[in-house]
Amino acid sequence: EFLKTEGEHGDHDSDHDSHHHHSDHHHHSDDHHHSDHRHQSGHLHDTSVTSVCIVQPGEVELDHLEQWVGGLLREKAADIYRMKGVICVAHANQKFVYHGVHMIFNGDFTEPWGKDEVRESKLVFIGKNLDRSSLQASFAACLLTPERAEKKRKRMRFQVGDRVKVNTKAEGWLVGTVQALDYRDDVIMPPGVTVPYQVKLDKDGDLVYAPKEDDEIIRPA
């Protein structure tokens, strides 16, 4: 039940932090797998152990990336021994660098992309029964393409220009007009994070934003 005023200093409510706003991203799986893949003299230890490298141009949505990682840990925990990579996340100027060992996943935003650096994701998997085409297709489904962004906007309850009521913390429900969809403020929002709506209030012209699609936060006027 809160909205933030754009450019407001000082009281930025900690409730703004959602599940994907943490600077560190940790995923765990209880299904750990340990194996020694060193080669013995004269023969291979395990011919089924392979590595897969994927290079994917474009930017991925942070929400979809987290869902994808969670799915891998649930479904491929016994097969993926190690993974690492650099992810190009939409709405972020920093690289998202991750690694997973024994199915414990750690990732964080690190140094910024270079001015002339190609913004693409590079992923490496080591394990058994790895299906390269399946891994690549599932990761590509996380890409934020213009077509997917447009479909996302069209599915939203409100569009630019719609009259709405927003539940502000200080003054309760106030009426305003939707100014932007899938809004981002680079100053106060963590890398990769957007919110559904920016709204201009009738009362004083302040710009606020609705942190999520929720009838307890934003509803028709």
Side-chain angles (χ1 to χ4, degrees), residues 16-25 27 61-67 89 96 109 152 184 189-196 211-212:
H16 174 64
D17 292 332
S18 73
H19 73 282
H20 58 250
H21 292 182
H22 303 294
S23 60
D24 266 329
H25 298 251
H27 291 269
E61 282 194 285
L62 187 59
D63 282 349
H64 289 172
L65 175 64
E66 292 189 334
Q67 293 169 14
V89 175
F96 185 83
F109 287 98
K152 179 181 178 181
R184 173 167 177 78
M189 293 183 187
V193 173
T194 63
V195 296
K212 58 182 177 179

Short mmCIF file of all heavy atoms in Angstrom, two decimals, residues 16-25 27 61-67 89 96 109 152 184 189-196 211-212:
data_model
loop_
_atom_site.label_atom_id
_atom_site.label_comp_id
_atom_site.label_asym_id
_atom_site.label_seq_id
_atom_site.Cartn_x
_atom_site.Cartn_y
_atom_site.Cartn_z
N HIS A 16 9.61 -1.29 -0.77
CA HIS A 16 9.86 -1.30 -2.21
C HIS A 16 10.65 -2.53 -2.62
O HIS A 16 10.58 -2.98 -3.74
CB HIS A 16 10.63 -0.04 -2.58
CG HIS A 16 11.07 -0.01 -4.02
ND1 HIS A 16 10.17 0.02 -5.05
CD2 HIS A 16 12.30 -0.05 -4.56
CE1 HIS A 16 10.83 0.03 -6.19
NE2 HIS A 16 12.12 -0.02 -5.91
N ASP A 17 11.39 -3.11 -1.67
CA ASP A 17 12.16 -4.30 -1.99
C ASP A 17 11.23 -5.48 -2.21
O ASP A 17 10.49 -5.86 -1.33
CB ASP A 17 13.12 -4.64 -0.85
CG ASP A 17 14.21 -3.60 -0.73
OD1 ASP A 17 14.51 -2.99 -1.75
OD2 ASP A 17 14.72 -3.40 0.38
N SER A 18 11.25 -6.05 -3.41
CA SER A 18 10.48 -7.25 -3.68
C SER A 18 11.45 -8.41 -3.78
O SER A 18 12.63 -8.26 -3.52
CB SER A 18 9.68 -7.11 -4.98
OG SER A 18 10.54 -7.17 -6.07
N HIS A 19 10.94 -9.62 -4.17
CA HIS A 19 11.80 -10.81 -4.17
C HIS A 19 12.98 -10.68 -5.09
O HIS A 19 13.99 -11.34 -4.90
CB HIS A 19 10.98 -12.04 -4.55
CG HIS A 19 10.62 -12.09 -6.00
ND1 HIS A 19 9.60 -11.34 -6.54
CD2 HIS A 19 11.17 -12.77 -7.02
CE1 HIS A 19 9.52 -11.58 -7.83
NE2 HIS A 19 10.45 -12.44 -8.15
N HIS A 20 12.91 -9.80 -6.11
CA HIS A 20 14.04 -9.71 -7.02
C HIS A 20 14.82 -8.43 -6.86
O HIS A 20 15.58 -8.06 -7.74
CB HIS A 20 13.57 -9.88 -8.47
CG HIS A 20 12.54 -8.87 -8.90
ND1 HIS A 20 11.24 -9.21 -9.13
CD2 HIS A 20 12.65 -7.56 -9.15
CE1 HIS A 20 10.57 -8.14 -9.51
NE2 HIS A 20 11.41 -7.13 -9.52
N HIS A 21 14.66 -7.72 -5.73
CA HIS A 21 15.37 -6.46 -5.56
C HIS A 21 16.67 -6.62 -4.78
O HIS A 21 17.35 -5.64 -4.54
CB HIS A 21 14.49 -5.44 -4.81
CG HIS A 21 13.31 -5.00 -5.64
ND1 HIS A 21 12.42 -4.07 -5.18
CD2 HIS A 21 12.89 -5.35 -6.86
CE1 HIS A 21 11.48 -3.87 -6.08
NE2 HIS A 21 11.76 -4.65 -7.11
N HIS A 22 17.00 -7.80 -4.36
CA HIS A 22 18.21 -7.96 -3.57
C HIS A 22 19.44 -7.84 -4.45
O HIS A 22 19.46 -8.23 -5.60
CB HIS A 22 18.21 -9.33 -2.89
CG HIS A 22 17.01 -9.54 -2.03
ND1 HIS A 22 16.77 -8.80 -0.90
CD2 HIS A 22 15.96 -10.39 -2.15
CE1 HIS A 22 15.63 -9.19 -0.35
NE2 HIS A 22 15.12 -10.15 -1.10
N SER A 23 20.51 -7.29 -3.86
CA SER A 23 21.73 -7.16 -4.63
C SER A 23 22.35 -8.52 -4.90
O SER A 23 23.03 -8.73 -5.89
CB SER A 23 22.73 -6.27 -3.89
OG SER A 23 23.04 -6.83 -2.63
N ASP A 24 22.13 -9.47 -3.99
CA ASP A 24 22.63 -10.83 -4.18
C ASP A 24 21.47 -11.74 -4.51
O ASP A 24 20.43 -11.67 -3.89
CB ASP A 24 23.30 -11.35 -2.90
CG ASP A 24 24.79 -11.10 -2.93
OD1 ASP A 24 25.36 -11.12 -4.03
OD2 ASP A 24 25.37 -10.90 -1.85
N HIS A 25 21.66 -12.62 -5.46
CA HIS A 25 20.61 -13.56 -5.86
C HIS A 25 21.10 -14.95 -5.54
O HIS A 25 22.08 -15.40 -6.09
CB HIS A 25 20.32 -13.42 -7.36
CG HIS A 25 19.80 -12.07 -7.72
ND1 HIS A 25 18.49 -11.85 -8.09
CD2 HIS A 25 20.40 -10.87 -7.76
CE1 HIS A 25 18.32 -10.57 -8.36
NE2 HIS A 25 19.46 -9.96 -8.17
N HIS A 27 20.00 -19.04 -5.12
CA HIS A 27 19.05 -20.12 -5.27
C HIS A 27 19.72 -21.39 -4.80
O HIS A 27 20.88 -21.65 -5.09
CB HIS A 27 18.62 -20.28 -6.74
CG HIS A 27 17.79 -19.16 -7.23
ND1 HIS A 27 16.42 -19.16 -7.16
CD2 HIS A 27 18.14 -17.98 -7.79
CE1 HIS A 27 15.96 -18.04 -7.67
NE2 HIS A 27 16.98 -17.32 -8.06
N GLU A 61 14.66 -10.32 -19.34
CA GLU A 61 13.93 -9.74 -18.22
C GLU A 61 14.35 -10.41 -16.92
O GLU A 61 14.47 -11.64 -16.86
CB GLU A 61 12.43 -9.91 -18.41
CG GLU A 61 11.80 -8.95 -19.39
CD GLU A 61 10.28 -8.94 -19.27
OE1 GLU A 61 9.66 -9.91 -19.73
OE2 GLU A 61 9.74 -7.97 -18.72
N LEU A 62 14.55 -9.61 -15.88
CA LEU A 62 15.02 -10.15 -14.61
C LEU A 62 14.04 -11.15 -14.02
O LEU A 62 14.43 -12.21 -13.52
CB LEU A 62 15.26 -9.00 -13.62
CG LEU A 62 15.91 -9.37 -12.29
CD1 LEU A 62 17.26 -10.03 -12.51
CD2 LEU A 62 16.06 -8.14 -11.41
N ASP A 63 12.74 -10.85 -14.07
CA ASP A 63 11.73 -11.77 -13.55
C ASP A 63 11.80 -13.13 -14.25
O ASP A 63 11.77 -14.18 -13.60
CB ASP A 63 10.32 -11.19 -13.73
CG ASP A 63 10.00 -10.13 -12.69
OD1 ASP A 63 10.78 -10.02 -11.73
OD2 ASP A 63 8.99 -9.43 -12.84
N HIS A 64 11.88 -13.09 -15.58
CA HIS A 64 11.93 -14.34 -16.34
C HIS A 64 13.23 -15.09 -16.08
O HIS A 64 13.24 -16.33 -16.06
CB HIS A 64 11.77 -14.05 -17.83
CG HIS A 64 10.38 -13.62 -18.19
ND1 HIS A 64 10.05 -13.15 -19.45
CD2 HIS A 64 9.24 -13.59 -17.48
CE1 HIS A 64 8.76 -12.85 -19.47
NE2 HIS A 64 8.25 -13.11 -18.28
N LEU A 65 14.33 -14.35 -15.90
CA LEU A 65 15.61 -14.99 -15.61
C LEU A 65 15.54 -15.77 -14.30
O LEU A 65 16.01 -16.91 -14.22
CB LEU A 65 16.72 -13.93 -15.54
CG LEU A 65 18.11 -14.43 -15.12
CD1 LEU A 65 18.67 -15.40 -16.14
CD2 LEU A 65 19.06 -13.25 -14.92
N GLU A 66 14.95 -15.17 -13.27
CA GLU A 66 14.85 -15.84 -11.98
C GLU A 66 13.98 -17.09 -12.07
O GLU A 66 14.27 -18.12 -11.46
CB GLU A 66 14.32 -14.87 -10.93
CG GLU A 66 15.30 -13.76 -10.59
CD GLU A 66 14.88 -12.93 -9.40
OE1 GLU A 66 13.66 -12.86 -9.14
OE2 GLU A 66 15.76 -12.36 -8.75
N GLN A 67 12.89 -17.00 -12.85
CA GLN A 67 12.03 -18.17 -13.05
C GLN A 67 12.78 -19.27 -13.78
O GLN A 67 12.63 -20.46 -13.47
CB GLN A 67 10.78 -17.76 -13.82
CG GLN A 67 9.86 -16.83 -13.05
CD GLN A 67 8.77 -16.23 -13.92
OE1 GLN A 67 8.53 -16.69 -15.03
NE2 GLN A 67 8.12 -15.20 -13.42
N VAL A 89 21.01 -8.16 -18.69
CA VAL A 89 19.66 -7.96 -18.17
C VAL A 89 19.10 -6.61 -18.65
O VAL A 89 19.81 -5.60 -18.62
CB VAL A 89 19.66 -8.01 -16.62
CG1 VAL A 89 18.27 -7.68 -16.06
CG2 VAL A 89 20.11 -9.38 -16.14
N PHE A 96 25.23 -8.99 -15.11
CA PHE A 96 24.82 -9.93 -14.06
C PHE A 96 25.70 -11.16 -14.20
O PHE A 96 25.60 -11.90 -15.17
CB PHE A 96 23.34 -10.30 -14.20
CG PHE A 96 22.83 -11.15 -13.09
CD1 PHE A 96 22.42 -10.58 -11.89
CD2 PHE A 96 22.77 -12.53 -13.21
CE1 PHE A 96 21.96 -11.36 -10.84
CE2 PHE A 96 22.31 -13.33 -12.17
CZ PHE A 96 21.90 -12.74 -10.98
N PHE A 109 24.89 -8.26 -9.74
CA PHE A 109 25.27 -7.26 -10.72
C PHE A 109 26.66 -6.74 -10.37
O PHE A 109 26.93 -6.42 -9.21
CB PHE A 109 24.26 -6.11 -10.74
CG PHE A 109 22.94 -6.49 -11.38
CD1 PHE A 109 21.87 -6.85 -10.60
CD2 PHE A 109 22.81 -6.49 -12.76
CE1 PHE A 109 20.65 -7.21 -11.19
CE2 PHE A 109 21.61 -6.86 -13.36
CZ PHE A 109 20.53 -7.21 -12.57
N LYS A 152 3.14 -7.42 -23.34
CA LYS A 152 3.07 -7.21 -21.88
C LYS A 152 2.27 -5.95 -21.58
O LYS A 152 1.41 -5.95 -20.68
CB LYS A 152 4.49 -7.10 -21.32
CG LYS A 152 4.55 -6.84 -19.83
CD LYS A 152 5.99 -6.71 -19.37
CE LYS A 152 6.07 -6.40 -17.87
NZ LYS A 152 7.48 -6.25 -17.42
N ARG A 184 10.48 2.89 -15.07
CA ARG A 184 11.73 2.72 -14.33
C ARG A 184 12.31 4.06 -13.94
O ARG A 184 12.32 5.01 -14.73
CB ARG A 184 12.74 1.94 -15.16
CG ARG A 184 14.11 1.90 -14.49
CD ARG A 184 15.09 0.92 -15.07
NE ARG A 184 16.38 1.04 -14.39
CZ ARG A 184 16.64 0.52 -13.18
NH1 ARG A 184 15.73 -0.16 -12.54
NH2 ARG A 184 17.83 0.68 -12.61
N MET A 189 15.70 2.80 -8.21
CA MET A 189 15.36 1.39 -8.40
C MET A 189 16.62 0.55 -8.67
O MET A 189 17.52 0.98 -9.39
CB MET A 189 14.38 1.24 -9.58
CG MET A 189 13.03 1.85 -9.33
SD MET A 189 11.89 1.57 -10.72
CE MET A 189 10.50 2.58 -10.18
N PRO A 190 16.66 -0.66 -8.11
CA PRO A 190 17.80 -1.55 -8.34
C PRO A 190 17.90 -1.93 -9.82
O PRO A 190 16.92 -1.81 -10.57
CB PRO A 190 17.47 -2.77 -7.48
CG PRO A 190 16.46 -2.30 -6.50
CD PRO A 190 15.68 -1.24 -7.18
N PRO A 191 19.06 -2.40 -10.26
CA PRO A 191 19.23 -2.80 -11.66
C PRO A 191 18.19 -3.84 -12.08
O PRO A 191 17.88 -4.76 -11.33
CB PRO A 191 20.64 -3.41 -11.69
CG PRO A 191 21.35 -2.79 -10.54
CD PRO A 191 20.32 -2.58 -9.49
N GLY A 192 17.65 -3.67 -13.28
CA GLY A 192 16.74 -4.65 -13.85
C GLY A 192 15.29 -4.52 -13.44
O GLY A 192 14.44 -5.23 -13.97
N VAL A 193 14.99 -3.63 -12.48
CA VAL A 193 13.64 -3.55 -11.91
C VAL A 193 12.81 -2.48 -12.60
O VAL A 193 13.28 -1.37 -12.84
CB VAL A 193 13.72 -3.24 -10.40
CG1 VAL A 193 12.33 -2.99 -9.82
CG2 VAL A 193 14.40 -4.39 -9.67
N THR A 194 11.56 -2.82 -12.92
CA THR A 194 10.59 -1.84 -13.39
C THR A 194 9.31 -2.02 -12.57
O THR A 194 9.14 -3.03 -11.89
CB THR A 194 10.25 -2.02 -14.89
OG1 THR A 194 9.65 -3.31 -15.08
CG2 THR A 194 11.48 -1.88 -15.76
N VAL A 195 8.42 -1.03 -12.64
CA VAL A 195 7.12 -1.12 -11.96
C VAL A 195 6.04 -0.90 -13.01
O VAL A 195 6.28 -0.31 -14.06
CB VAL A 195 7.01 -0.07 -10.83
CG1 VAL A 195 8.03 -0.35 -9.74
CG2 VAL A 195 7.16 1.34 -11.37
N PRO A 196 4.81 -1.39 -12.73
CA PRO A 196 3.78 -1.34 -13.77
C PRO A 196 3.39 0.06 -14.23
O PRO A 196 3.26 0.30 -15.43
CB PRO A 196 2.59 -2.03 -13.10
CG PRO A 196 3.18 -2.90 -12.05
CD PRO A 196 4.38 -2.17 -11.56
N PRO A 211 3.98 0.02 -7.40
CA PRO A 211 5.03 -0.99 -7.46
C PRO A 211 4.59 -2.34 -8.01
O PRO A 211 5.43 -3.14 -8.40
CB PRO A 211 5.48 -1.12 -6.00
CG PRO A 211 4.31 -0.67 -5.21
CD PRO A 211 3.63 0.39 -6.02
N LYS A 212 3.27 -2.61 -8.03
CA LYS A 212 2.81 -3.88 -8.59
C LYS A 212 1.35 -3.78 -8.99
O LYS A 212 0.63 -2.86 -8.59
CB LYS A 212 3.02 -5.03 -7.60
CG LYS A 212 2.32 -4.86 -6.28
CD LYS A 212 2.63 -6.04 -5.35
CE LYS A 212 1.99 -5.86 -3.98
NZ LYS A 212 2.28 -7.01 -3.09
#
